[in-house]
Amino acid sequence: MTFKIEAFQFHVLPMRTRFPFKYGIASMSALPHLFVTVDLVVDGKPAQGLASEGLPPKWFTKNPDTLFEIDLAEMLAVIQNASRIGRLAAEKETGFFAWWLSLYEEQSSWAKVKEAPPLLANLGVSLIERAVLDGLCKALGQPLHAVLCSEVLGIELGEVRDELRGMRVADVVAPQPLSKIHARHTVGLGDALTAADGSLDDGLPYTLEESIRAYGLSYFKIKVCGKPEVDLPRLREITQVITTCCPDGFHATLDGNEQFYDLASFREFYETLKADPALAPLFRSLLLIEQPLHRSKALNEPVSTDAPGMIIDESDGSLNDLPRALELGYRGTSHKNCKGIVKGLANSALLKKRAPHIPGGPILSGEDLANVGPVALLQDLSVMALLGVSHVERNGHHYFRGLSMHAQATQDAVIEKHPGLYERHASGFATLRIENGMLDVGSVNAAPFGCGISLDVTQFEPLNAWIKRGGMGEL
């Protein structure tokens, strides 16, 4: 299979959260959701692919001294540069993997010159890669899992990392994608826990207590700020709420939010928490600890510690980062589509390859805080399912009011196409269906790269027009 790229288009849908969400150094109340459309010619026939991504403040670059407008301009610059590289690399017919390798390498070289960090630079690679994959899946009329297993994309894992020679993509993905995935609910630094913290009258659960009861949650991701005097009383309350509302047990992960600059400080913090009797139920349920060390320090020293599986997240910016992390004692990394699909496959392959040498076993977690449908969330779930990731951080439905920001026709189409994953709220808008704490992704697995509906992006504002009229300043 070969293809050419004729054009890319970018459109923006500004979105506002139900309530401000605090994570790390940022508090999010609004963000632009960017849609990327690519016009392809696949084996001589026209096809169109689509991908999207919310562009959050202070995640790709956690610089407390820059304004969001500056961060957003940097995000858009790496995306547009990747589209330029991708377009040039497919002016003539090419295969997918050769095209992807050229895109990744050229973007990495450009990023070094521009001093753009790898995590940010590869946001551009991932969005362009996803849009093209969507178009190829549509042209083939097959879901992503089937396309990957057929090896029509020509992905050579040994060309991505030398030690993966001999491994095929079909050896890495699950024989069948998972049909259901646990939704792991994030408890942010300022999120309401009980009715004593207030209420929000918009028809959706607001507090942690309400969310557990409404969705039957049993998996949780808990964020900490790294200060025992702040974290201890809040963690006690969180533990009390979860143990009360989950009498049959629960599982939790702890997100360190890059709050520590050396391992000794984190170990002291961890031991302080672990010694608190009120937190015993939490620590018995703990599955992993995500990125406690700041990305500038995380890969500088061994992390041997009594803490359960430490993984990297923000430090996983380039193809070199996971191998380095495993050598230092980390047990794995997170997958999220904004890091890239081929990169995620290569990471999963590396963890399988090195599994016998990873004490406690490898960890590939699923993370993505505020992903929303009808495109980004479903594409992300598609990849999680085929990688066999059984519980995934999902909070887009909690921080945003379902798909209410979209046209009613779009919402109706999503409910019709994915009746196990979306339902109609009593107020009329489409909202994520979570039952017994789980997401039904059967229809996602059957659709070409997850989405499966026709979305008219021309209803959204073209990116250049949005920038010209000062759209960044509205956020």
Side-chain angles (χ1 to χ4, degrees):
M1 179 183 62
T2 60
F3 68 94
K4 295 191 298 183
I5 294 177
E6 295 191 324
F8 286 99
Q9 298 92 36
F10 300 92
H11 293 81
V12 177
L13 173 62
M15 292 170 42
R16 293 203 165 271
T17 61
R18 296 173 59 212
F19 53 89
F21 167 66
K22 184 180 179 183
Y23 61 102
I25 63 172
S27 183
M28 184 173 72
S29 58
L31 83 170
H33 198 89
L34 182 69
F35 291 87
V36 181
T37 308
V38 60
D39 294 317
L40 303 166
V41 177
V42 183
D43 291 338
K45 297 180 180 179
Q48 191 173 79
L50 179 64
S52 75
E53 189 76 48
L55 303 179
K58 305 301 178 187
W59 190 79
F60 293 99
T61 53
K62 282 189 178 174
N63 184 347
D65 299 323
T66 58
L67 298 173
F68 179 39
E69 288 89 339
I70 301 300
D71 297 337
L72 181 54
E74 291 178 343
M75 285 188 266
L76 294 174
V78 300
I79 294 166
Q80 290 175 314
N81 188 71
S83 72
R84 177 187 63 81
I85 294 171
R87 173 79 173 82
L88 291 172
E91 281 187 315
K92 297 180 180 179
E93 290 188 356
T94 183
F96 173 79
F97 183 65
W99 171 81
W100 177 87
L101 200 58
S102 176
L103 170 62
Y104 180 86
E105 290 175 347
E106 289 294 325
Q107 180 83 341
S108 297
S109 297
W110 173 85
K112 288 179 181 177
V113 173
K114 295 293 185 179
E115 298 183 335
L119 186 68
L120 176 62
N122 285 308
L123 166 66
V125 173
S126 77
L127 257 174
I128 300 308
E129 169 193 36
R130 278 178 271 160
V132 168
L133 278 174
D134 183 61
L136 297 181
C137 287
K138 288 173 179 173
L140 291 167
Q142 297 179 3
L144 181 60
H145 181 270
V147 171
L148 289 173
C149 289
S150 72
E151 304 200 0
V152 69
L153 299 178
I155 297 173
E156 294 288 346
L157 294 172
E159 295 296 319
V160 180
R161 291 194 179 107
D162 190 64
E163 69 179 283
L164 301 180
R165 293 195 181 279
M167 292 188 75
R168 301 175 306 136
V169 170
D171 300 327
V172 175
V173 303
Q176 293 295 327
L178 299 176
S179 60
K180 291 190 176 182
I181 295 175
H182 289 278
R184 183 154 38 88
H185 182 89
T186 296
V187 186
L189 296 175
D191 286 9
L193 304 181
T194 69
D197 297 323
S199 62
L200 185 64
D201 186 18
D202 68 350
L204 292 175
Y206 173 60
T207 67
L208 174 61
E209 201 172 50
E210 290 172 333
S211 296
I212 296 173
R213 290 171 178 162
Y215 301 128
L217 303 170
S218 61
Y219 280 74
F220 304 91
K221 171 175 173 172
I222 302 169
K223 289 184 173 284
V224 294
C225 70
K227 299 176 181 178
E229 67 274 16
V230 176
D231 286 323
L232 272 171
R234 181 165 175 80
L235 286 173
R236 290 178 191 134
E237 188 174 3
I238 290 171
T239 302
Q240 178 62 43
V241 170
I242 295 176
T243 53
T244 299
C245 295
C246 301
D248 295 329
F250 65 94
H251 302 277
T253 67
L254 207 62
D255 185 0
N257 272 310
E258 299 185 83
Q259 297 296 325
F260 302 90
Y261 284 80
D262 60 78
L263 186 61
S265 297
F266 168 67
R267 181 180 286 118
E268 181 181 357
F269 171 79
Y270 177 81
E271 293 301 331
T272 298
L273 299 187
K274 190 177 179 183
D276 191 307
L279 302 185
L282 173 62
F283 279 86
R284 283 196 299 268
S285 76
L286 204 56
L287 300 173
L288 63 89
I289 297 175
E290 177 189 342
Q291 189 84 36
L293 301 181
H294 192 272
R295 69 188 74 178
S296 65
K297 306 291 184 180
L299 301 183
N300 291 352
E301 60 176 322
V303 297
S304 298
T305 175
D306 294 334
M310 285 176 59
I311 69 168
I312 57 172
D313 181 41
E314 290 92 341
S315 287
D316 184 18
S318 76
L319 288 170
N320 299 322
D321 292 325
L322 179 57
R324 173 65 176 160
L326 295 178
E327 290 164 6
L328 291 172
Y330 289 95
R331 284 177 56 188
T333 186
S334 65
H335 176 77
K336 50 186 68 173
N337 275 3
C338 66
K339 292 183 180 180
I341 309 302
V342 175
K343 182 167 175 285
L345 292 168
N347 280 351
S348 183
L350 184 67
L351 291 172
K352 288 179 184 290
K353 181 85 171 181
R354 294 199 185 182
H357 310 293
I358 300 175
I363 296 174
L364 182 65
S365 76
E367 315 292 333
D368 208 330
L369 176 69
N371 222 344
V372 297
V375 180
L377 172 64
L378 279 65
Q379 290 185 345
D380 191 78
L381 286 171
S382 172
V383 177
M384 297 295 180
L386 65 84
L387 290 177
V389 180
S390 61
H391 58 92
V392 181
E393 176 193 21
R394 287 289 91 118
N395 265 57
H397 64 283
H398 186 56
Y399 296 126
F400 298 96
R401 195 166 182 256
L403 298 182
S404 60
M405 70 290 293
H406 286 276
Q408 191 62 53
T410 298
Q411 298 182 59
D412 294 344
V414 171
I415 293 171
E416 181 179 357
K417 184 69 177 180
H418 303 284
L421 187 62
Y422 279 92
E423 61 187 353
R424 194 178 308 281
H425 189 272
S427 298
F429 62 90
T431 187
L432 204 62
R433 181 196 295 269
I434 304 176
E435 295 182 336
N436 298 317
M438 303 194 80
L439 298 161
D440 183 339
V441 294
S443 60
V444 170
N445 296 334
F449 203 1
C451 180
I453 70 163
S454 296
L455 181 66
D456 179 13
V457 296
T458 62
Q459 64 187 297
F460 310 130
E461 193 168 11
L463 175 61
N464 288 338
W466 180 74
I467 293 172
K468 186 175 181 180
R469 72 168 180 81
M472 291 188 193
E474 297 176 352
L475 297 168

